[in-house]
Amino acid sequence: MYNLIGAGLIVIGAGIGLGQIGGKAMEGIARQPEATGKIQTAMIIIAALLEGLAFGALFLGK
Amino acid sequence: MIILTMKGVQQSFKFLALLVLVLFSGSIYANTSNENEGQVDTKKEVEDYILHHIQDSHDFSLFSYTNDEGERKHVGFPLPIVIWTSQGLVSFISSEFHHNDDGHVIVEKNGLKFAKIHGKIYELEANASSVNFDEEHHAVNAHKVLDFSITKSVVGVLLVGILMFFAFTSLAKQYKKKAIPTGFGRVLEPLVLYVRDEIARPNIGEKHYRKFTGYLLTVFFFIWVLNLLGLTPMGFNVTGQLAVTACLAIFTLIIYTVSGNKDYWTHILWMPGVPVLIRPVLAIIELAGALLIKPFSLLVRLFANISAGHIVVMSLIAIMFTLKESLGVAGATGLSLVLSFFITLIEVLVAFLQAYIFTMLSALFIGMAVAEHEHDHNTSGH
Amino acid sequence: MDKLLNDFSPGLFVVQTILLLLLILLLVKFAWKPILNSLNERESGIADALKSAEKAKLEMQNLQADNQKLLQEARMERESMLKEARDIKVKMIEDAKGEAQDQANKIIEQAQAAIESEKKAAIAELKTQVANLSIEIAEKVTREALSSNDKQLKLVESLLGETKFN
């Protein structure tokens, strides 16, 4: 039960983080469309790091 | 594979490409209808079945069915078991367990008794004749052995390894004769260029990238092909095995630890530009980051993504059984088909993305280790 | 976490490590090295070709510039030659004119001189003729007049009175 609550919290946190990353990346792309490639790469890397963190927490709690 | 290699390499690729295509198109059908081990109906059974699937297995079963006499028949082939026991190496064929997975079939070899419980081989203690379990279903009179078997995952690794070897050596041979490859090589070349120009070169830097491109290319294609193989109905889950992802992550760890230059180690052990008192604390954090967190995040991400993908696909397929009563057979099947089809498409994307991210992060970590800082630390003070 | 660690198979880890190491070594030796080398070769070949094309273009431009320069020079030379020729022409005409003038002047001078000398000669001759004539006349007159002394004297007087010397 607590595991599930913890998992939910992790997912909420990760979701907020991913939203921030994605949103800011979109803003960046909108502002500088010529930097799309670089922004996407950086976005994916940061998203991957966040994802790793979230998965780590999920599996520690499991 | 051996038969394939005897034909021209070119031909075998065409054949393999076709094979992969056929397997992909048959993926959902085969998963939904054929892969069951015993009738799977209830939620609990579905869960057990899925968990069983994402585990490694000692035999390669394609499908099983119950015949008229009520017996379970398994179609597939057994794989050799090689284990390190208290009396050295022992090997036999997995068919001797008769697909039993709960420790009731005891195999005797070299005077030792073995049982298979949830995909693990246990060696029984000398005087025991059957496995006893405690309340939590842990075996009390048996212990696990080191298992070097050619399991399903190892078969997958071998298959992909051989495939990659032939694909890329043939590409390498093509370059001897002509400047631009033809046939399957035309597909492979942009991928190689992509890894080199988009992953290795920008992250490691112009000066050092060449040394590490081989590793990155190998890892990229290894993970990608294995991820895709996991989506076929053969039911491989190689990149969803912690041992495999851990191995990959540790390779990256070793590479960037070994190739780290003086600057890299200075930054980890004695961070310049911060007060001396904080430096040991930072060193501990940096060391933990470099030696534990980075490889851990690598291995967990790949493992979790692929396992989660498998679980989701199979859960959606299982809608067919679990919602049969509320939606009717046709409704449940249709819903399951649509959902699992789309999630499979997403999984194809994830298969690439995870290979890309793993390679990308490996390149990034290596790049951090070999980067040369030109600025003076005493004045920059970071 | 426990379940995950339970699932972790050390044996598979060892097998995978060996296989991956083998795969990396084999691929690096037999695939990646030749592939990357040939790709690099090809790329440097393309880069070289581009560079030489650029060079050829530059040379072409230089050549064209040279041509232009040559043409310019030729044009200028022609211009200067034409100018020179024109100058020479003018000068020649001038010279010719001068010379002709000189010649003419000389001729005129000579003519004048000749005329002068002719005149002088003519005068001289005239003088002698006049003298002769006078002597003849004088002789005739004398012969006639001398027939008588009076007449002779009268005549001499009248003659002397009439005669005016130039």
Side-chain angles (χ1 to χ4, degrees), chain A residues 41 44-45 48 51-52 55 59, chain B residues 300-301 303-305 356-357 360:
Chain A
T41 313
I44 288 174
I45 290 171
E51 194 191 44
F55 274 130
F59 278 87
Chain B
V300 165
R301 176 181 311 107
F303 161 75
N305 266 292
Y356 169 74
I357 285 174
M360 176 73 134

Side-chain angles (χ1 to χ4, degrees), chain A residues 59-60 62, chain C residues 1-2 4:
Chain A
F59 278 87
L60 281 175
K62 195 187 160 191
Chain C
M1 196 66 186
D2 292 344
L4 280 178

Side-chain angles (χ1 to χ4, degrees), chain C residues 35-91:
Chain C
I35 288 175
L36 290 174
N37 282 340
S38 354
L39 282 176
N40 269 3
E41 254 166 52
R42 198 174 72 186
E43 270 156 25
S44 58
I46 291 171
D48 281 353
L50 280 177
K51 214 180 275 169
S52 59
E54 193 72 22
K55 225 167 105 187
K57 206 174 136 194
L58 216 73
E59 261 169 34
M60 190 84 162
Q61 267 173 356
N62 280 346
L63 218 69
Q64 256 173 355
D66 278 0
N67 273 352
Q68 203 70 28
K69 221 168 102 188
L70 273 173
L71 213 69
Q72 195 80 18
E73 269 171 22
R75 203 172 290 146
M76 261 157 72
E77 207 167 329
R78 195 191 67 183
E79 209 98 309
S80 68
M81 270 163 86
L82 275 175
K83 197 162 169 270
E84 214 170 308
R86 216 174 285 134
D87 288 353
I88 288 170
K89 184 187 87 180
V90 170
K91 198 165 165 264

Side-chain angles (χ1 to χ4, degrees), chain C residues 2-159:
Chain C
D2 292 344
K3 203 180 161 317
L4 280 178
L5 287 181
N6 192 43
D7 275 349
F8 183 84
S9 157
L12 178 61
F13 179 77
V14 172
V15 175
Q16 160 72 9
T17 309
I18 295 166
L19 288 179
L20 187 63
L21 197 65
L22 212 69
L23 185 66
I24 291 171
L25 292 179
L26 279 175
L27 279 178
V28 164
K29 179 141 182 13
F30 292 109
W32 304 133
K33 258 202 188 121
I35 288 175
L36 290 174
N37 282 340
S38 354
L39 282 176
N40 269 3
E41 254 166 52
R42 198 174 72 186
E43 270 156 25
S44 58
I46 291 171
D48 281 353
L50 280 177
K51 214 180 275 169
S52 59
E54 193 72 22
K55 225 167 105 187
K57 206 174 136 194
L58 216 73
E59 261 169 34
M60 190 84 162
Q61 267 173 356
N62 280 346
L63 218 69
Q64 256 173 355
D66 278 0
N67 273 352
Q68 203 70 28
K69 221 168 102 188
L70 273 173
L71 213 69
Q72 195 80 18
E73 269 171 22
R75 203 172 290 146
M76 261 157 72
E77 207 167 329
R78 195 191 67 183
E79 209 98 309
S80 68
M81 270 163 86
L82 275 175
K83 197 162 169 270
E84 214 170 308
R86 216 174 285 134
D87 288 353
I88 288 170
K89 184 187 87 180
V90 170
K91 198 165 165 264
M92 265 168 85
I93 291 170
E94 216 102 296
D95 284 1
K97 265 184 189 167
E99 213 167 314
Q101 195 75 40
D102 286 357
Q103 206 79 25
N105 286 347
K106 222 189 247 170
I107 289 169
I108 289 168
E109 246 165 65
Q110 274 175 359
Q112 272 174 347
I115 288 167
E116 197 72 24
S117 63
E118 287 290 310
K119 199 173 110 186
K120 272 181 188 160
I123 287 172
E125 212 182 292
L126 201 64
K127 270 181 188 168
T128 40
Q129 222 133 56
V130 166
N132 287 342
L133 209 57
S134 329
I135 290 166
E136 257 176 55
I137 293 168
E139 212 178 77
K140 276 174 192 166
V141 169
T142 314
R143 212 170 280 151
E144 202 196 272
L146 287 183
S147 47
S148 76
N149 270 1
D150 289 345
K151 272 188 179 175
Q152 277 178 354
L153 280 176
K154 245 193 197 168
L155 181 69
V156 169
E157 263 170 38
S158 73
L159 275 176

Side-chain angles (χ1 to χ4, degrees), chain B residues 152-315:
Chain B
K152 205 172 174 178
S153 296
V154 177
V155 170
V157 171
L158 283 170
L159 190 70
V160 170
I162 292 168
L163 247 164
M164 275 172 69
F165 185 74
F166 281 106
F168 290 110
T169 46
S170 86
L171 179 64
K173 270 189 215 116
Q174 283 201 352
Y175 282 114
K176 282 191 188 136
K177 281 177 269 166
K178 46 204 167 189
I180 292 161
T182 48
F184 195 52
R186 203 174 281 177
V187 182
L188 294 177
E189 194 201 271
L191 293 168
V192 174
L193 283 175
Y194 178 77
V195 173
R196 193 194 65 175
D197 293 341
E198 302 294 321
I199 297 177
R201 213 197 290 246
N203 287 313
I204 301 178
E206 199 62 46
K207 206 168 157 193
H208 300 283
Y209 84 95
R210 192 65 202 275
K211 230 186 326 177
F212 305 102
T213 314
Y215 169 72
L216 294 174
L217 280 164
T218 314
V219 164
F220 177 79
F221 286 106
F222 184 77
I223 296 174
W224 190 25
V225 179
L226 276 175
N227 285 350
L228 288 176
L229 206 64
L231 296 174
T232 64
M234 289 182 284
F236 284 112
N237 184 26
V238 186
T239 36
Q241 300 297 328
L242 264 180
V244 173
T245 59
C247 170
L248 287 163
I250 284 170
F251 263 79
T252 301
L253 168 70
I254 289 171
I255 286 177
Y256 71 69
T257 308
V258 168
S259 55
N261 57 15
K262 188 167 155 276
D263 219 37
Y264 171 71
W265 287 112
T266 328
H267 271 77
I268 286 183
L269 297 174
W270 206 243
M271 179 70 90
V274 295
V276 176
L277 279 177
I278 302 175
R279 287 185 187 189
V281 184
L282 267 179
I284 293 167
I285 296 170
E286 288 275 341
L287 266 180
L291 301 180
L292 281 175
I293 296 171
K294 278 177 184 173
F296 187 74
S297 77
L298 275 180
L299 83 92
V300 165
R301 176 181 311 107
L302 183 57
F303 161 75
N305 266 292
I306 303 306
S307 293
H310 279 246
I311 291 170
V312 169
V313 171
M314 293 185 76
S315 305

Side-chain angles (χ1 to χ4, degrees), chain B residues 25 47 53 61 73 78 121 129 139 150 158 165 185 198 204 220 231 243 252 278 280 291 312 320 333 345 365 375:
Chain B
S25 57
E47 209 179 303
H53 162 78
S61 57
K73 288 281 180 193
I121 312 273
S129 58
I150 309 297
L158 283 170
F165 185 74
E198 302 294 321
I204 301 178
F220 177 79
L231 296 174
T252 301
I278 302 175
L291 301 180
V312 169
M320 207 178 273
T333 311
L345 287 185
F365 295 156
H375 52 100

Side-chain angles (χ1 to χ4, degrees), chain B residues 296-356:
Chain B
F296 187 74
S297 77
L298 275 180
L299 83 92
V300 165
R301 176 181 311 107
L302 183 57
F303 161 75
N305 266 292
I306 303 306
S307 293
H310 279 246
I311 291 170
V312 169
V313 171
M314 293 185 76
S315 305
L316 289 176
I317 288 165
I319 285 178
M320 207 178 273
F321 315 110
T322 49
L323 294 183
K324 197 156 61 180
E325 269 128 44
S326 47
L327 293 174
V329 176
T333 311
L335 184 67
S336 141
L337 213 76
V338 169
L339 288 178
S340 49
F341 176 69
F342 282 111
I343 212 76
T344 308
L345 287 185
I346 291 174
E347 284 304 312
V348 173
L349 181 71
V350 168
F352 173 79
L353 203 66
Q354 288 310 315
Y356 169 74

